[in-house]
Amino acid sequence: MVGPSGSGKSSLLAVAAGLITPTSGTVTVAGREITGLTRGERTALRGKEIGMIFQQPNLIASLTAREQLELTVHLDEDATRADKKAARSRAMELLERVDLAGQADQRPHQLSGGQRQRVNIVRALMASPALLLVDEPTSALDRERSAAVVALLGELTRDAGVATLMVTHDHEFLSATDRTLTMVDGRLQD
């Protein structure tokens, strides 16, 4: 999705994630209408069905790259000991997939900007979500790293079969998408 600043792109992502309740209409994620859910139910749905990638990686400074991914399972109240053990294996698998297995025990300040964004991407995929919402994933990266991140994001989401909505200002990356929508003054144009 593209559009001028202030057109409502990030707001639409927040509504799709259940972070903001729309004033009209409905939002359906993974076959479930979410606008009538309680705050706790929306939070639980986000943990299982919706992955989010923000402009800035928002990694926790005290956690290693692997722990950033494992945290998603540790926050799940229903997670069993076996789930937590499986999370470690899945985290390493995903870090391997983005060439960061060797940095699994490094903290964010020890990683480059591109490496932090790759951790951010695989953290969003950790729970195998049905929907991935991506807000300007390349805003803090140079052109070469931006192209690599968009290519990686496309590869990972196609392989995982995840419906992905990406907001970008960079029209250079539109060729990597299946469909482009433009938002103008709060309205989507096809």
Side-chain angles (χ1 to χ4, degrees):
M1 181 173 29
V2 296
S5 293
S7 63
K9 301 179 304 293
S10 294
S11 294
L12 179 62
L13 289 184
V15 168
L19 295 169
I20 296 174
T21 303
T23 55
S24 65
T26 61
V27 177
T28 303
V29 175
R32 188 167 179 196
E33 201 280 301
I34 69 171
T35 47
L37 299 179
T38 67
R39 174 185 260 171
E41 290 169 330
R42 288 192 314 271
T43 299
L45 182 75
R46 274 193 301 277
K48 294 182 184 344
E49 299 292 345
I50 302 171
M52 294 183 287
I53 300 172
F54 301 101
Q55 291 181 22
Q56 299 300 319
N58 299 321
L59 301 177
I60 299 168
S62 62
L63 298 180
T64 66
R66 186 190 72 252
E67 291 166 342
Q68 304 285 338
L69 277 63
E70 292 173 350
L71 181 63
T72 60
V73 174
H74 289 279
L75 292 174
D76 182 355
E77 295 173 353
D78 298 327
T80 64
R81 180 175 279 167
D83 293 335
K84 292 175 183 178
K85 185 174 182 178
R88 183 179 189 102
S89 175
R90 172 119 170 103
M92 288 307 297
E93 172 189 313
L94 287 169
L95 288 170
E96 178 74 35
R97 184 78 196 275
V98 296
D99 297 324
L100 288 175
Q103 288 78 26
D105 293 324
Q106 292 184 339
R107 289 180 169 57
H109 74 277
Q110 297 170 304
L111 302 172
S112 71
Q115 289 172 326
R116 286 191 297 271
Q117 191 62 302
R118 284 185 278 159
V119 170
N120 192 31
I121 289 169
V122 292
R123 178 180 60 183
L125 294 171
M126 187 68 180
S128 301
L131 174 63
L132 186 63
L133 302 172
V134 185
D135 193 4
E136 295 283 354
T138 62
S139 66
L141 303 175
D142 63 35
R143 186 158 300 299
E144 184 179 326
R145 284 189 179 98
S146 293
V149 163
V150 169
L152 175 66
L153 187 57
E155 178 185 325
L156 290 171
T157 58
R158 272 191 297 281
D159 289 353
V162 178
T164 304
L165 177 58
M166 178 176 73
V167 167
T168 185
H169 281 99
D170 200 332
H171 289 253
E172 176 182 334
F173 301 125
L174 297 183
S175 62
T177 66
D178 296 324
R179 183 175 175 199
T180 303
L181 300 171
T182 303
M183 182 165 279
V184 178
D185 296 330
R187 298 206 180 274
L188 284 177
Q189 301 175 347
D190 213 355

